[in-house]
Amino acid sequence: MEHGRLLFPCFLLVVLFAASASAQLRTGFYSNTCPNLESLVRSAVTTKFQQTFVTAPGTLRLFFHDCFVRGCDASVLLSSPTNKAEKDHPDDLSLAGDGFDTVIKAKAAVDSDPRCKNKVSCADILALATRDVISLTGGPFYNVELGRRDGRISTIASVQRKLPHPEFTLDQLNTMFATNGLTQTDMIALSGAHTIGFAHCGKFSKRIYSFSRGNPIDPTLNKTYAAQLRQMCPVNVDPRIAINMDPTTPRTFDNAYFRNLVQGMGLFSSDQALFTDPRSKPTVYQFASSETAFRQAFISAITKLGRVGVKTGNQGEIRIDCTRIN
């Protein structure tokens, strides 16, 4: 009992410390040091987006993968000479190169202004670029809290069991998101980002070819959609072939993802679970029927995501090169 009493204050200190770090984030953090920051980033991101659409889902996914491992500290951008960084973990190997390139281009644009050079963290540039790609694809434009510092550690081991997998159940999703201070509603709203996502055939082939002994096709899958997926992803397909996660409006950030779930057209079983599980089904219905409800929930959720495990004040550093520590 004595031991338990000792543990509680320590845990409380960790919680309070995390809360105080995120409390130091604020909009306009760079208003004096780099007043043109947001327009510099937006211009670079827009140029990159006009070159390739993958910029949008690639950058958004990069932000999510960064925040869920060691917090939003741009540690996912770090490279290791021995291929032992976060980005080298199997869960991160499918991150699109265009996402990384977007941050590097935006960082170069920021540093081209003498007032801003080496004053803005890569973590904050990634957070701003994420907001911009969401807006460029028709999603909401929201204020981004800034003031993050860049982490100095990036390891393969730290990624293990930190990111959701395509076959996760609602309980597994809720547990993982709760670990990062996010609710079930936050998790469902953030899943809506799949409206502009894509996935490789291998990530869902079991659902369309070998689901179970009696059912080669997952019975929660819309039959017509399953047939289309089999056409796009034949047996022994090139594993690099990627499929849009939203078959209806794949280049628009909208609530179609949720309307698709109602029709049995969630690509991953973790997507469809949001509709088949009675605990999350009402929220899916709400977002499917109201674009406004989805957008409001998404802004709230991605703002909370951007506070996860942040380093502020004198923690971490402002990286001169986003791919390596100073």
Side-chain angles (χ1 to χ4, degrees):
M1 202 63 197
E2 198 65 36
H3 186 63
R5 280 222 301 269
L6 278 171
L7 276 176
F8 180 69
C10 295
F11 172 72
L12 198 61
L13 278 174
V14 171
V15 172
L16 289 172
F17 178 74
S20 67
S22 62
Q24 289 179 40
L25 297 183
R26 64 179 194 273
T27 55
F29 182 85
Y30 297 98
S31 54
N32 294 325
T33 49
C34 180
N36 296 332
L37 172 62
E38 300 210 13
S39 60
L40 289 165
V41 171
R42 194 169 310 132
S43 174
V45 173
T46 302
T47 301
K48 173 74 183 166
F49 176 72
Q50 287 166 347
Q51 290 163 356
T52 172
F53 179 81
V54 177
T55 298
T59 304
L60 178 47
R61 191 157 172 254
L62 191 63
F63 181 60
F64 177 80
H65 279 231
D66 181 47
C67 292
F68 261 40
V69 181
R70 295 188 172 274
C72 311
D73 67 349
S75 54
V76 74
L77 301 172
L78 289 171
S79 293
S80 150
T82 54
N83 298 327
K84 293 277 167 55
E86 280 177 36
K87 62 163 70 163
D88 302 307
H89 188 280
D91 287 355
D92 280 341
L93 288 178
S94 61
L95 288 170
D98 286 303
F100 293 94
D101 191 50
T102 300
V103 181
I104 288 162
K105 295 257 187 358
K107 161 83 167 153
V110 171
D111 284 349
S112 70
D113 184 326
R115 292 172 297 178
C116 306
K117 193 170 171 66
N118 301 330
K119 299 235 178 79
V120 183
S121 69
C122 300
D124 278 344
I125 289 171
L126 174 55
L128 285 168
T130 300
R131 185 270 312 275
D132 292 338
V133 295
I134 289 165
S135 172
L136 283 165
T137 49
F141 186 88
Y142 52 92
N143 290 322
V144 178
E145 297 173 339
L146 300 167
R148 298 168 192 80
R149 305 263 292 176
D150 296 324
R152 297 173 51 83
I153 301 167
S154 183
T155 65
I156 277 191
S158 57
V159 182
Q160 201 63 24
R161 291 188 291 281
K162 289 293 194 325
L163 295 165
H165 284 194
E167 71 285 353
F168 267 20
T169 62
L170 184 70
D171 283 330
Q172 289 173 303
L173 290 168
N174 278 339
T175 300
M176 185 168 280
F177 278 72
T179 304
N180 292 291
L182 297 159
T183 66
Q184 176 175 285
T185 302
D186 294 329
M187 179 272 291
I188 298 169
L190 288 169
S191 298
H194 284 171
T195 185
I196 57 165
F198 57 87
H200 297 94
C201 292
K203 293 289 184 188
F204 56 87
S205 58
K206 186 170 187 276
R207 292 190 76 203
I208 56 174
Y209 288 113
S210 55
F211 183 71
S212 66
R213 189 171 290 176
N215 283 310
I217 297 175
D218 183 341
T220 65
L221 255 181
N222 177 300
K223 286 188 174 60
T224 307
Y225 183 48
Q228 290 169 347
L229 291 175
R230 280 183 154 203
Q231 275 190 314
M232 292 186 283
C233 293
V235 181
N236 301 325
V237 69
D238 183 332
R240 291 167 299 185
I241 296 289
I243 303 300
N244 291 322
M245 298 194 75
D246 173 358
T248 53
T249 56
R251 292 185 168 226
T252 307
F253 194 100
D254 55 17
N255 67 338
Y257 166 82
F258 300 102
R259 297 199 302 272
N260 293 339
L261 293 186
V262 174
Q263 302 296 323
M265 288 157 51
L267 189 60
F268 293 161
S269 54
S270 58
D271 292 310
Q272 200 57 47
L274 303 182
F275 185 70
T276 54
D277 195 301
R279 293 169 294 170
S280 46
K281 191 175 197 166
T283 309
V284 172
Y285 267 132
Q286 183 193 16
F287 293 165
S289 61
S290 171
E291 180 93 43
T292 304
F294 164 53
R295 289 165 86 95
Q296 288 172 342
F298 184 84
I299 292 170
S300 170
I302 201 158
T303 301
K304 284 167 73 173
L305 174 64
R307 297 170 185 158
V308 173
V310 292
K311 293 160 183 67
T312 58
N314 295 321
Q315 300 169 297
E317 63 185 16
I318 305 286
R319 266 183 240 148
I320 292 166
D321 175 344
C322 288
T323 67
R324 60 185 64 143
I325 58 173
N326 295 344

